[in-house]
Amino acid sequence: MKAVNIYMEANPNPNSMKFVVNFMLLQDGVSFDYPDAEAAADSPLAQELFKLPNVERVFYMSNFVTVTKSEGVDWIEIQDSIRDVIKPYLEAEKPLILEELDKDPLFDENDSEVVKKIKGILDEYIRPAVEQDGGAIGFSSFEEGVVKVNLQGSCSGCPASAVTLKSGIENLLKRMLPNDVTEVVAEGV
């Protein structure tokens, strides 16, 4: 049985909480976002968490699981039951997901030079800050100056995500790639 320590960490989204563990769950840059129980077919742990009342979203990345709860319930009411699902599951060393990735999800050798630069900036400057808040950012597309990204985990539905997107991510990309990027738009928020 694996020794598992979990601590909770709040983030800017009051309805999301990071459950941080003492080891890596996934390789760097890999994340899984489950907006509902149906989407969690490949994740036994997420399926277990969705059986709990008031769990609305489950997200995995690096060494944490971010859970988003229903609006009308306080964390103090449900945090222990969430931890009581995660801890024994990880102690038993059960698989987090049923399918493993075999390539780096961020980089593709067929990307244009501009797309490679955008992904590099997102990975180096943006991803660590977004991860700190219990979420993730994924590159979706780049067309005619517009970068489309996916905000996942605690970023999805967070009141601060629009400010993060425009004031943080868009400003940084426009400053670092002034001849290429004109706007950044979030998909699925």
Side-chain angles (χ1 to χ4, degrees), residues 11 13-19 33-35 50 53-59 65-71 73 75 78 82 134 152-158:
N11 59 69
N13 183 346
N15 290 322
S16 289
M17 183 72 69
K18 273 173 73 173
F19 292 82
D33 192 19
Y34 302 105
F50 278 118
N54 302 301
V55 171
E56 292 193 348
R57 184 179 210 114
V58 177
F59 173 77
V65 176
T66 298
V67 176
T68 304
K69 67 168 181 64
S70 308
E71 186 89 29
V73 65
W75 278 111
I78 62 170
I82 293 170
Q152 301 173 317
S154 66
C155 297
S156 182
C158 175

Side-chain angles (χ1 to χ4, degrees), residues 22-57:
N22 56 318
F23 56 91
M24 294 300 284
L25 297 171
L26 295 168
Q27 70 188 40
D28 216 20
V30 176
S31 65
F32 292 91
D33 192 19
Y34 302 105
D36 54 44
E38 291 76 41
D42 69 340
S43 175
L45 176 57
Q47 290 174 7
E48 289 301 310
L49 289 167
F50 278 118
K51 289 178 184 174
L52 297 173
N54 302 301
V55 171
E56 292 193 348
R57 184 179 210 114

